[in-house]
Amino acid sequence: MGAVDGCRDTGEAGRTGPRVQQAPAAGRFTPYPGRMLRAEWQAVAVGPFRELRRRGVSGISLALLATVAVVVVHQLIRTPDGAVLVRLVADVRADLPLPLVLLRTPGSLVLADPGLPVWAGLPKLFLAFALAELVLGRTRTLVIACVTSLVGTLGARAMIALGHGPLGLPPETAHVLDTGPSAAVAGLFAYLAVVRRAPVLAVPTSGLIVVQSLLKPNLAGREHLIAVGLALVLGLCAGRATRVGDVGPAPRRGPRIRTEQGPAAYPPRHDGPEQPGPDAFGEDRDEEDRPDDVDVPGRVQRGAGP
């Protein structure tokens, strides 16, 4: 009896034995911060690197084109003829008519500030466009870059219209050249940090931009704040839409059967409860429903003589 009382059912038919508590495997437990950093590393670095190996240089063609275009435009603006061409194609200011601003917004994405060294911002520009292109695709990268830059420009125009104040800008700011690459880079990094759930990426990119914009509230700083805020909202909306699209039961797949009419196929799906078949209640139920005098092939008639 002692041996029987000390035995517990293990849940499997026909097997009983002493209850043994298994210890967790060594080396498999990772603290939550470590798991979070590992997941972010997989999403931000490992995943895009694998995509780059699969697609090759074509996977970062937009990033290469944007970097080369910024360098070319920066060199053109230093020549008299090139400065006139760049002014007609990519010069955006708050005192210009709105239709002209909308027309020149794509060109302003590659117009860096002439007063700053262009080589210092090229690595960040290339990294932002390359990561976004590998993670989001070429079309969505262009859309996010253009939308964040354009909304930053329109928001700066509204602040200039407000004038002096906590949310306004001085009227003379309307004559300052509005350059687009920095706002697009800030928007792309913020969007990637949200859709990839990468808070560590957000700190040195969007976090530093927000701090600099708050410490130095000029035209570029306000545009960066608007671009980052809009990118965060778009990223949250994209993540919510993805989660809503994933809700719902997975399609039920049954075993494949081969029919006489064609190749193997899956059986039809029945959403309601399964109905019992003709033989579900046994042979006696079937025999009771039949008269005794009916000749059924393969059965012995009841009540019939020898």
Side-chain angles (χ1 to χ4, degrees), residues 39-58:
E40 181 171 347
W41 174 257
Q42 292 282 343
V44 176
V46 177
F49 180 73
R50 291 176 179 173
E51 186 70 15
L52 177 62
R53 289 185 58 184
R54 186 180 68 85
R55 297 172 56 185
V57 182
S58 62

Side-chain angles (χ1 to χ4, degrees), residues 109 144-145 148-150 152 178-188 220 223-224 227-228:
L109 290 176
I144 296 298
T148 52
S149 179
L150 178 60
D178 186 4
T179 56
S182 57
V185 169
L188 287 176
E223 289 187 357
H224 294 166
V228 170

Side-chain angles (χ1 to χ4, degrees), residues 40-41 43-44 189 192-203 205:
E40 181 171 347
W41 174 257
V44 176
F189 273 130
L192 285 172
V194 174
V195 298
R196 286 292 175 169
R197 298 179 181 179
V200 178
L201 176 66
V203 170
T205 56

Side-chain angles (χ1 to χ4, degrees), residues 245-291:
D246 292 339
V247 172
R252 186 169 57 186
R253 306 292 295 274
R256 301 190 66 170
I257 57 176
R258 182 174 297 277
T259 60
E260 297 178 359
Q261 293 80 4
Y266 290 100
R269 177 177 177 177
H270 299 284
D271 293 331
E274 296 183 359
Q275 300 296 331
D279 297 333
F281 299 98
E283 190 175 351
D284 294 338
R285 173 82 178 263
D286 193 17
E287 291 179 357
E288 292 176 0
D289 295 338
R290 297 178 181 272

Side-chain angles (χ1 to χ4, degrees), residues 26-303:
R28 293 185 179 181
F29 176 75
T30 306
Y32 180 74
R35 288 187 307 219
M36 183 183 68
L37 292 176
R38 183 177 180 181
E40 181 171 347
W41 174 257
Q42 292 282 343
V44 176
V46 177
F49 180 73
R50 291 176 179 173
E51 186 70 15
L52 177 62
R53 289 185 58 184
R54 186 180 68 85
R55 297 172 56 185
V57 182
S58 62
I60 54 173
S61 58
L62 181 61
L64 293 174
L65 181 62
T67 305
V68 173
V70 169
V71 174
V72 171
V73 171
H74 188 73
Q75 296 299 324
L76 282 177
I77 204 172
R78 297 179 178 275
T79 62
D81 297 336
V84 174
L85 178 62
V86 171
R87 183 175 59 83
L88 294 176
V89 174
D91 194 349
V92 174
R93 302 175 190 271
D95 55 355
L96 295 176
L98 184 59
L100 189 58
V101 171
L102 297 177
L103 186 62
R104 293 180 178 179
T105 296
S108 67
L109 290 176
V110 294
L111 177 58
D113 191 351
L116 297 177
V118 67
W119 304 106
L122 284 181
K124 184 183 294 186
L125 173 73
F126 176 78
L127 182 60
F129 274 87
L131 277 178
E133 187 176 1
L134 292 172
V135 173
L136 308 175
R138 192 173 296 115
T139 302
R140 202 201 286 187
T141 299
L142 277 176
V143 170
I144 296 298
C146 291
V147 168
T148 52
S149 179
L150 178 60
V151 173
T153 300
L154 298 179
R157 290 171 67 96
M159 291 180 181
I160 292 173
L162 291 176
H164 294 279
L167 298 178
L169 289 172
E172 58 270 15
T173 314
H175 308 291
V176 177
L177 180 64
D178 186 4
T179 56
S182 57
V185 169
L188 287 176
F189 273 130
Y191 187 87
L192 285 172
V194 174
V195 298
R196 286 292 175 169
R197 298 179 181 179
V200 178
L201 176 66
V203 170
T205 56
S206 303
L208 292 180
I209 291 175
V210 170
V211 172
Q212 293 175 0
S213 302
L214 293 176
L215 295 179
K216 190 177 182 181
N218 53 8
L219 177 65
R222 296 295 177 85
E223 289 187 357
H224 294 166
L225 283 177
I226 296 174
V228 170
L230 177 64
L232 294 177
V233 173
L234 293 177
L236 292 175
C237 293
R240 181 178 179 83
T242 303
R243 289 193 296 270
V244 170
D246 292 339
V247 172
R252 186 169 57 186
R253 306 292 295 274
R256 301 190 66 170
I257 57 176
R258 182 174 297 277
T259 60
E260 297 178 359
Q261 293 80 4
Y266 290 100
R269 177 177 177 177
H270 299 284
D271 293 331
E274 296 183 359
Q275 300 296 331
D279 297 333
F281 299 98
E283 190 175 351
D284 294 338
R285 173 82 178 263
D286 193 17
E287 291 179 357
E288 292 176 0
D289 295 338
R290 297 178 181 272
D292 294 339
D293 56 346
V294 177
D295 186 11
V296 180
R299 295 188 181 181
V300 179
Q301 300 183 14
R302 291 182 294 179

